Amino acid sequence: MPDTALPNSWDARAKAHSFFGFTDLPSIRDRGTVVLTHGEGPYVVDTEGRRYLDANSGLWNMIAGFDHPDLTRAAQDQYARFPGYHALFGRMSDQAVMLSETLTAVSSFDEARVFYTNSGSEANDTMVKMLWFLHAAEGRPRARKIITRGNAYHGVTAVSASMTAKPYNAVFGLPLPGFLHLTCPHYWREGRADETEAQFTARLATELEEMIAREGADTIAGFFAEPVQGAGGVIPPPAGYFDAILPILRANNIPVIADEVITGFGRTGDMWGCESYGFTPDAIISSKALTAGYFPMGAVILGPDLSDRLQHASDAIEEFPHGFTASGHPVGCAIALKAIALVQEGLLDNVRRLTPAFEAGLQRLAQHPHIGEWRGRGLMGALEAVQDKATKTPWDPGLSVSERIANTCTDHGLICRPLGQAIVLCPPFTLTDAQMDEMFTKLGAALDEVFGGLTPSHS
């Protein structure tokens, strides 16, 4: 279909000078772009004055909505006081020092040290470099392989994209050598016929043992896992999963890294996703909700063992030769301090209060004959679209069913995210009961409209 953007419109200007990432380009050609001007609580408003309830929290990150006065004030005050610096050469802002203290206090560790980046991708990339560095310094230069899971998402740098076990990375010639991917821990989709959830978990644990034996434990630098796989389509692990795999990793001295870019700071109903699943990793990767989306920032939170080992390796060469111009940016740190306080002082409680209604809404929509599964944890959930519910048969990819649903939701004033054949919801923590009802009402209407409009040959 030809581009119908009006000359000099916001849509035409966006298309003329913007290169779109992670965007369904046919939708852009057929429907145009959405150019936003401001936010009001959990809503965003476009240049035409249309208002959308953003059930994706921007990109998982705007947990306090789009106009929280405490967060904007924290930014304004810090810009007026000290608008920018780094955390290199032994110099850093007072805000960075205070944030590191706070992250240590709220982490899963008794003691911790923090290294700052500008994003979750950079934080995961940094963690890999840290592991390579300390293993080499300890006389294990072959320990460079990284284990992740199928359908995992860890970022878009060359290294973190190699950890991201999504098929689209093949267009970049990724993954790089040495990045190993286990079976996606999604029981509904990956479980075999007549295999119980416990048997599925046991099979995944055996697969990990076999991979370590085949590759050699001395060649593996670390294991990275999201407590709930986010951009894979909100995939919680099967029952007993971390209890089954962690002893295997510990027995082989393989560091365990929790990628909490999405799950950290309350999304699962606890401060950290690893708390929700009862395990303590060796390091935590953080971003997104760290600043409630009000500033680009990431962090590597090192537990005591990795912190001490990395310090020893750095002492030997008198530095850790890595960092970013905006590492520990004082404005980002000031915002993060306020964001963490907001989570502790009420937002986390609201996640816990809203979770039963959120799960009930997902369960209700999952009764639809073309929804095969609902899944989630805390205030993150997904509905999996299927052509046939009994056989779990997916729709023909050419129909772009989840994209149709998301576009129809947009027409109804709701923003949600298509991931594979799933529709994902991860609303801000500030949501009210009325806004929760609005979200599910609009999504339900979109499901009826899309599925009702498919031809009989597709149903």
Side-chain angles (χ1 to χ4, degrees):
M1 182 178 292
D3 196 326
T4 57
L6 295 174
N8 299 318
S9 66
W10 282 106
D11 181 33
R13 291 162 64 185
K15 290 174 179 174
H17 301 291
S18 301
F19 197 82
F20 300 98
F22 285 118
T23 299
D24 184 68
L25 298 180
S27 290
I28 292 294
R29 288 192 297 269
D30 298 345
R31 296 170 50 86
T33 58
V34 177
V35 180
L36 303 170
T37 61
H38 65 285
E40 301 168 356
Y43 298 90
V44 291
V45 183
D46 70 11
T47 51
E48 304 300 315
R50 292 174 297 220
R51 199 164 177 253
Y52 309 87
L53 176 60
D54 192 334
N56 198 46
S57 298
L59 197 59
W60 312 90
N61 55 342
M62 305 294 293
I63 60 171
F66 297 91
D67 63 348
H68 199 290
D70 291 352
L71 292 168
T72 55
R73 189 177 305 112
Q76 291 164 348
D77 290 349
Q78 186 59 39
Y79 271 121
R81 184 166 55 246
F82 192 27
Y85 211 67
H86 53 77
L88 307 175
F89 318 123
R91 297 188 293 276
M92 62 182 62
S93 74
D94 56 350
Q95 302 300 307
V97 173
M98 290 189 289
L99 179 57
S100 295
E101 292 172 339
T102 298
L103 287 173
T104 297
V106 302
S107 76
S108 300
F109 311 118
D110 294 331
E111 297 179 5
R113 289 185 182 180
V114 183
F115 188 95
Y116 294 106
T117 67
N118 306 305
S119 68
S121 295
E122 291 175 356
N124 275 310
D125 194 298
T126 295
M127 186 72 250
V128 171
K129 289 181 72 175
M130 287 176 166
L131 291 170
W132 286 345
F133 174 47
L134 71 85
H135 285 309
E138 293 173 350
R140 293 186 304 278
R142 297 176 65 237
R144 294 184 62 83
K145 296 174 184 175
I146 300 294
I147 300 176
T148 60
R149 291 92 52 79
N151 219 14
Y153 186 91
H154 297 288
V156 295
T157 64
V159 164
S160 61
S162 294
M163 299 161 66
T164 293
K166 304 279 271 184
Y168 55 69
N169 281 315
V171 302
F172 304 110
L174 298 173
L176 298 168
F179 289 83
L180 313 174
H181 303 147
L182 295 162
T183 297
C184 176
H186 186 186
Y187 173 57
W188 179 83
R189 178 55 74 189
E190 299 291 341
R192 295 169 180 165
D194 301 322
E195 185 177 47
T196 67
E197 188 169 358
Q199 290 169 334
F200 177 63
T201 296
R203 174 160 64 87
L204 297 188
T206 298
E207 180 190 33
L208 173 61
E209 283 186 306
E210 291 174 347
M211 176 180 280
I212 295 170
R214 181 174 63 251
E215 300 292 336
D218 62 330
T219 72
I220 298 171
F223 172 89
F224 286 67
E226 304 159 271
V228 177
Q229 289 185 264
V234 182
I235 302 171
Y241 175 78
F242 285 107
D243 288 338
I245 66 166
L246 288 174
I248 299 168
L249 295 162
R250 299 297 185 206
N252 287 280
N253 298 312
I254 297 172
V256 176
I257 315 303
D259 182 344
E260 300 254 13
V261 168
I262 288 173
T263 53
F265 300 104
R267 180 60 71 180
T268 63
D270 294 292
M271 183 63 75
W272 303 102
C274 57
E275 292 179 23
S276 296
Y277 292 98
F279 73 95
T280 300
D282 295 296
I284 291 172
I285 306 300
S286 176
S287 187
K288 294 194 184 293
L290 171 62
T291 61
Y294 280 61
F295 197 90
M297 176 173 277
V300 178
I301 307 173
L302 297 164
D305 178 64
L306 288 184
S307 174
D308 290 346
R309 292 165 65 189
L310 192 63
Q311 183 66 54
H312 188 266
S314 300
D315 286 343
I317 62 170
E318 299 186 349
E319 68 173 348
F320 175 54
H322 177 77
F324 303 94
T325 300
S327 293
H329 194 288
V331 176
C333 291
I335 295 170
L337 285 164
K338 178 53 67 175
I340 295 169
L342 291 174
V343 169
Q344 291 178 308
E345 294 166 6
L347 291 184
L348 180 55
D349 288 339
N350 204 43
V351 172
R352 292 168 174 163
R353 186 186 69 80
L354 289 170
T355 293
F358 183 65
E359 292 179 344
L362 291 168
Q363 289 174 334
R364 185 170 63 254
L365 293 183
Q367 302 308 306
H368 197 286
H370 288 300
I371 296 297
E373 180 196 38
W374 81 269
R375 54 184 182 264
R377 181 77 187 226
L379 215 55
M380 58 190 303
L383 297 166
E384 187 82 15
V386 291
Q387 181 179 342
D388 186 281
K389 195 163 188 166
T391 62
K392 305 180 184 178
T393 303
W395 291 93
D396 180 344
L399 291 173
S400 300
V401 169
S402 64
E403 194 72 31
R404 291 190 191 198
I405 295 169
N407 287 338
T408 304
C409 284
T410 302
D411 293 339
H412 286 273
L414 176 70
I415 293 174
C416 55
R417 184 177 178 187
L419 279 170
Q421 298 213 3
I423 288 293
V424 166
L425 301 174
C426 52
F429 299 174
T430 54
L431 215 64
T432 65
D433 295 329
Q435 291 161 352
M436 178 82 75
D437 291 341
E438 177 187 350
M439 178 178 71
F440 283 117
T441 297
K442 290 181 173 179
L443 178 54
L447 293 177
D448 290 341
E449 185 174 335
V450 169
F451 291 133
L454 293 174
T455 63
S457 63
H458 292 138
S459 62

